[in-house]
Amino acid sequence: MPGETRTAYRTCPLCEAACGLELTVADDRIVAARGDSAHVFSHGFVCPKGATFGQLSADPDRLRRPLVRRGERHEEVSWAEAFRAIEAGLGPILQRHGPQSVAVYLGNPNVHTMAGGLYLSPLLRALGSRNIFSASTVDQMPKHVSCGYLYGSPLAIPVPDVDRTDLLLMLGANPWESNGSLATAADFPGRLKALQARGGRFIVVDPRRTRTAEHADEHVAIRPGTDAYLLFGIVHTLVTEHLVNLGALAGHVTGLSQVGELAKPFTPERVAAACGVPAQRIRGLARELAAAPTAAVYGRIGTCTVEFGTLTSWLVDVVNVLTGNLDRPGGVMFPLAAHLRPHARSGGKGFTVGRWHSRVRGLPEVKGEFPVATLADEIETPGDGQVRAFVTVAGNPVLSTPNSGRLDRALAGLDFMVSVDPYLNETTRHADVVLPPTDAARKGHYDFSFLALAVRNFAAYSPPVLPADGGGMDECDILARLTLLVTGQGADADPAVLHERMLEQALQRVVAAAPSAERTVAELRAMVDGEHPAERLLDVALRTGAYGDGFGARPDGLSLARLLAEPHGVDLGPLRPRIPEVLQTPSGTVELCPAPIAADVERLRAALDRQRDDLVLIGRRHLRSNNSWMHNVPALVKGRDRCTLQIHPDDAARLALTDGDDARVVSRAGSVSAPVEVTDRVMPGVVSLPHGWGHDLPGTRMAVAAAHPGVNSNVLTDEFAIDPLSGNSVLNGIPVEVKAAGRP
Ligand SMILES: Nc1nc2c(c(=O)[nH]1)N[C@H]1C(S)=C(S)[C@@H](COP(=O)(O)OP(=O)(O)OC[C@H]3O[C@@H](n4cnc5c(=O)[nH]c(N)nc54)[C@H](O)[C@@H]3O)O[C@H]1N2
Ligand SMILES: Nc1nc2c(c(=O)[nH]1)N[C@H]1C(S)=C(S)[C@@H](COP(=O)(O)OP(=O)(O)OC[C@H]3O[C@@H](n4cnc5c(=O)[nH]c(N)nc54)[C@H](O)[C@@H]3O)O[C@H]1N2
Ligand code: SF4
Ligand SMILES: [Mo]
């Protein structure tokens, strides 16, 4: 009824915490968003971003119809016209230059949409290009690589069991602002307070005294990029002081003695000078981790987006293994999501990289993609295989990837570009066609990525909250139509054709996996529930997943219908040990000393003697930002400028800078001017500038963001600084010079 309000429940898609929201809906509008107190996982927690869910959906700058570029301007067109423009632009390039001439960049929100989880694989497969890039190589790729080698699968990422641990050592993570990452833990701060209340401790290792560090039992300041030294110092201590105790892991670990050998040069005394942590404290940390009844080491952005990202990510897990804390309650554990199944047995093909290499810099493929740090090379460098067309889905690489000034110029020289994105922003302004998906309130939601990283097993599905926008297009349909288009089925192909084919293929796999059940695809198809294509695919995954109803075999098991009936989610209990089944290495063990990683240790050792830079740049996150794309919500940008250059008082004095001055920051890649914030939160020798700002470029359509532009920190980051094992960009620890730029 018009004028009436109703309540709807929905998982927040804005970060990895997967909170339940309680929405008040009036007509076709969300008028309030608060935490869902009955939610099985988030128990009412909400952050300022989640609270703006309604404003974000209703943002007047959000695109609702496609845009086509005419000269310098973008004009609204019909969907039919937009897809025809793509066919006309992309078709000839594909025909003349082949699939390698089309690059794709997949941004972060793809892991927060069902379309991203389900419809990107078919699109990439149909396209057949090896020029695939994503936000993973400015984020967590080192963790995929280290876990790939250790456990045989890049997706087997253990998470800290924060609700049961006695001691949590956190490196390069700031969940008080980020709400956690590669560890889905709604109300992460509340869980850390509960840890302390039950007598446990948490220690934060960070070059900045973050809000998380302020709440911690101890803050260990560390020089950016040097956590591998600290961790190797801990490993060295564990080995030499005979503190290694595998516990229940004994018999499931190989390569232990080789790790001891590799650790030999890294005595606490030797590494202390490099990382800035006293040798005695390094020893102490090792002893405390070994003595704690349970302990978990957890590393995030500050351990990944650094020079030795894969080594550091590997060492985090090595310490967990050596102290017997991998795969035990209170340690780090492998979640088991409802849409997945445990393996039938341990042992598998293992993990490899470098099945092919990038054309210009010869960088190895990792997980089917190339480092985004080499995207501009592939666009700019002429020759066979040059990238001439570009597709972005939910990405803003002009703000989020290294040497973004260069990438911005490269995008301007493309022959054709398509963006699937709801905003005309710094990246999509280069697109010839922008295809905006309907907003989150009109999409169903299931967290394919984050339920597999949750610190407690649970499942939740949210159906669309608002009715479909008559003239809008669902993101599954957009991606399906692009898939059909690149396979030559035309601009007007019916996406239902692909939806039905995907469902059929999913059911064929079910039938093939259980031939004894003697069921046909047609029989199963008749049982599948769901109004939307994504819902039907989810139903199949849930019913055949770890807790599923097996299409009727276990009537109280999970299905789409069951999740629809439980809007606050279904709790599936605390994490349970999964070794050995989870191990898909060729040996079926935790392969603790993988050859590619061992080979990279010499690079780390050699850098011990390197001259330290005077001043290095790191980033930071703020609770009211979300990478680059939520600065158009007024409630999230009000208040004082957050895009400041934080600098320690000693450095400020040395450089004659005072609070509020404009400073010029110069790196190998570029330079920016930012207002100075003098604060002892950063350690001497370190300056900090947040990423995701720089909204003053022409041709965008985000009025609120443009009024609070800030500067783009990735103008400073260097596309040639990458972690060689993962191809991940080095975004923290960038050598910079800072000088006064005169008072504003
Ligand atoms: N509010 C908000 N939440 C977010 C996001 C956001 O932009 N805003 N982004 C989301 C995304 S995509 C991600 S991946 C996660 C990231 O989640 P987190 O990793 O928790 O986020 P950050 O705040 O970047 O924390 C990284 C910390 O590493 C520190 N650091 C930098 N260099 C080093 C180093 O060399 N060593 C050590 N030990 N520490 C270092 C930084 O000072 C910073 O405090 O956050 C997610 N949540
Ligand atoms: N210097 C520095 N740089 C960093 C980082 C850092 O710590 N320091 N962090 C890195 C990290 S962890 C990440 S994840 C990356 C993020 O890198 P990106 O993913 O490239 O950037 P985002 O800012 O997340 O941009 C998301 C885009 O998706 C669009 N979008 C939002 N919702 C949807 C949707 O439902 N569908 C579609 N199709 N589009 C949508 C937005 O409009 C925006 O254009 O940035 C990285 N860059
Ligand atoms: S913490 Fe993350 S999931 Fe929870 S309300 Fe905030 S943005 Fe949404
Ligand atoms: Mo990220």
Side-chain angles (χ1 to χ4, degrees):
M1 290 278 279
E4 270 183 25
T5 65
R6 61 187 168 96
T7 302
Y9 298 94
R10 193 202 194 277
T11 305
C12 175
L14 299 174
C15 88
E16 300 180 36
C19 299
L21 298 178
E22 182 184 291
L23 305 171
T24 307
V25 185
D27 300 330
D28 200 7
R29 253 171 356 106
I30 293 166
V31 291
R34 59 184 80 78
D36 172 8
S37 54
H39 194 271
V40 296
F41 187 65
S42 61
H43 309 290
F45 180 82
V46 67
C47 85
K49 284 194 297 296
T52 66
F53 183 80
Q55 282 124 280
L56 190 65
S57 299
D59 183 347
D61 283 339
R62 175 182 273 277
L63 306 176
R64 287 170 172 79
R65 300 294 176 271
L67 301 181
V68 164
R69 188 146 56 107
R70 301 229 160 86
E72 292 301 294
R73 287 194 44 80
H74 281 89
E75 284 173 21
E76 213 173 277
V77 296
S78 69
W79 288 96
E81 194 176 333
F83 281 103
R84 277 201 293 275
I86 296 170
E87 191 179 32
L90 216 49
I93 295 174
L94 276 169
Q95 243 161 29
R96 217 169 298 146
H97 304 286
Q100 307 312 324
S101 64
V102 182
V104 180
Y105 174 83
L106 307 174
N108 170 273
N110 283 307
V111 289
H112 298 275
T113 65
M114 295 182 80
L118 297 168
Y119 281 85
L120 289 172
S121 314
L123 174 60
L124 298 187
R125 222 173 310 132
L127 186 61
S129 172
R130 287 179 171 177
N131 282 312
I132 307 301
F133 304 84
S134 86
S136 292
T137 53
V138 279
D139 189 347
Q140 81 289 358
M141 196 58 103
K143 198 72 203 173
H144 288 307
V145 171
S146 66
C147 288
Y149 289 132
L150 281 162
Y151 314 122
S153 162
L155 300 179
I157 298 177
V159 302
D161 188 2
V162 283
D163 295 343
R164 290 183 289 183
T165 194
D166 296 286
L167 175 62
L168 177 62
L169 177 64
M170 263 200 273
L171 306 105
N174 185 11
W176 241 272
E177 307 283 359
S178 72
N179 286 303
S181 179
L182 296 187
T184 286
D187 192 14
F188 211 128
R191 290 172 198 263
L192 292 175
K193 287 182 195 160
L195 188 171
Q196 290 172 320
R198 63 175 185 267
R201 290 190 304 141
F202 76 96
I203 299 171
V204 169
V205 179
D206 200 303
R208 270 179 70 230
R209 195 176 68 251
T210 60
R211 283 214 290 153
T212 309
E214 274 175 343
H215 284 88
D217 295 274
E218 182 184 350
H219 170 215
V220 177
I222 190 165
R223 217 165 264 145
T226 66
D227 298 65
Y229 293 122
L230 169 69
L231 290 164
F232 247 140
I234 290 175
V235 171
H236 188 280
T237 306
L238 292 172
V239 173
T240 53
E241 298 190 2
H242 307 290
L243 298 172
V244 174
N245 180 358
L246 298 186
L249 292 173
H252 298 293
V253 179
T254 49
L256 189 62
S257 59
Q258 291 93 310
V259 170
E261 283 298 311
L262 288 176
K264 276 196 173 145
F266 301 98
T267 64
E269 281 67 26
R270 190 79 175 81
V271 298
C275 67
V277 181
Q280 234 3 66
R281 191 64 204 108
I282 299 175
R283 284 216 170 74
L285 287 171
R287 291 171 191 154
E288 289 160 37
L289 288 167
T294 63
V297 186
Y298 162 66
R300 204 46 283 271
I301 283 290
T303 57
C304 283
T305 56
V306 288
E307 195 182 351
F308 302 101
T310 302
L311 278 179
T312 311
S313 299
W314 165 71
L315 284 162
V316 164
D317 285 34
V318 167
V319 174
N320 285 320
V321 169
L322 298 185
T323 54
N325 281 302
L326 176 74
D327 200 44
R328 83 162 163 194
V332 296
M333 304 191 78
F334 299 97
L336 183 56
H339 61 283
L340 300 173
R341 262 188 310 261
H343 300 276
R345 65 192 68 81
S346 65
K349 281 207 291 279
F351 176 72
T352 43
V353 304
R355 293 166 293 176
W356 50 87
H357 290 77
S358 69
R359 179 180 64 105
V360 180
R361 275 158 70 181
L363 297 171
E365 150 283 335
V366 176
K367 274 186 92 239
E369 54 183 280
F370 292 134
V372 70
T374 193
L375 173 56
D377 299 314
E378 296 295 334
I379 298 173
E380 288 170 352
T381 314
D384 216 21
Q386 180 182 8
V387 168
R388 295 158 193 274
F390 187 39
V391 180
T392 68
V393 185
N396 193 4
V398 167
L399 292 192
S400 54
T401 69
N403 197 346
S404 47
R406 180 181 167 202
L407 181 66
D408 188 40
R409 291 187 294 277
L411 296 188
L414 285 164
D415 291 348
F416 193 72
M417 178 169 157
V418 184
S419 292
V420 181
D421 203 288
Y423 284 109
L424 192 62
N425 64 18
E426 298 76 14
T427 296
T428 61
R429 71 198 178 109
H430 292 293
D432 295 282
V433 182
V434 183
L435 303 172
T438 45
D439 65 84
R442 295 171 210 276
K443 311 183 192 186
H445 190 80
Y446 176 88
D447 271 304
F448 287 107
S449 298
F450 302 114
L451 293 177
L453 292 163
V455 299
R456 188 176 169 96
N457 290 317
F458 80 103
Y461 174 70
S462 334
V465 170
L466 298 180
D469 157 10
M473 192 174 289
D474 183 79
E475 191 150 12
C476 294
D477 287 338
I478 292 177
L479 296 180
R481 283 184 66 167
L482 283 176
T483 304
L484 295 167
L485 192 151
V486 301
T487 48
Q489 294 174 63
D492 307 311
D494 181 0
V497 172
L498 184 69
H499 299 326
E500 204 48 44
R501 195 188 309 151
M502 284 174 64
L503 182 56
E504 171 128 353
Q505 286 166 352
L507 292 173
Q508 277 163 357
R509 286 191 293 272
V510 173
V511 170
S516 59
E518 290 185 9
R519 284 183 305 200
T520 65
V521 167
E523 276 162 22
L524 293 178
R525 177 68 188 86
M527 296 171 75
V528 174
D529 245 338
E531 283 181 35
H532 305 274
E535 285 186 342
R536 294 191 280 274
L537 291 169
L538 173 63
D539 192 39
V540 176
L542 287 171
R543 298 177 81 168
T544 54
Y547 319 85
D549 80 350
F551 279 106
R554 287 174 301 279
D556 56 349
L558 293 187
S559 60
L560 179 73
R562 170 86 190 280
L563 292 190
L564 281 169
E566 311 236 26
H568 313 291
V570 176
D571 181 41
L572 299 167
L575 304 184
R576 284 182 287 272
R578 288 190 58 192
I579 285 181
E581 155 270 314
V582 74
L583 303 174
Q584 296 297 308
T585 51
S587 65
T589 66
V590 175
E591 297 187 356
L592 202 61
C593 192
I597 289 185
D600 199 33
V601 172
E602 175 51 25
R603 189 173 62 97
L604 180 72
R605 204 204 50 77
L608 262 175
D609 303 316
R610 201 168 58 192
Q611 166 101 37
R612 303 286 143 209
D613 298 302
D614 285 342
L615 213 50
V616 294
L617 175 74
I618 62 169
R620 67 177 188 271
R621 282 177 161 75
H622 188 283
L623 187 56
R624 283 186 287 126
S625 284
N626 194 14
N627 296 322
S628 75
W629 70 277
M630 285 183 67
H631 295 142
N632 212 51
V633 179
L636 297 180
V637 286
K638 66 171 196 264
R640 59 187 185 83
D641 187 3
R642 304 205 296 267
C643 189
T644 58
L645 183 79
Q646 294 188 336
I647 185 166
H648 188 273
D650 294 353
D651 291 318
R654 183 167 59 85
L655 298 166
L657 290 166
T658 50
D659 216 65
D661 282 355
D662 247 354
R664 183 127 212 102
V665 191
V666 184
S667 73
R668 190 210 62 84
S671 73
V672 298
S673 287
V676 168
E677 180 185 345
V678 179
T679 169
D680 66 2
R681 277 182 179 275
V682 284
M683 62 192 277
V686 175
V687 291
S688 166
L689 190 64
H691 77 284
W693 298 89
H695 303 300
D696 51 358
L697 298 178
T700 63
R701 213 177 280 175
M702 298 180 77
V704 178
H708 303 78
V711 297
N712 178 3
S713 69
N714 280 316
V715 164
L716 299 168
T717 52
D718 188 337
E719 77 277 33
F720 291 103
I722 61 173
D723 167 43
L725 292 184
S726 63
N728 208 80
S729 294
V730 177
L731 303 173
N732 282 294
I734 306 295
V736 288
E737 261 179 68
V738 175
K739 41 193 172 220
R743 278 164 205 288

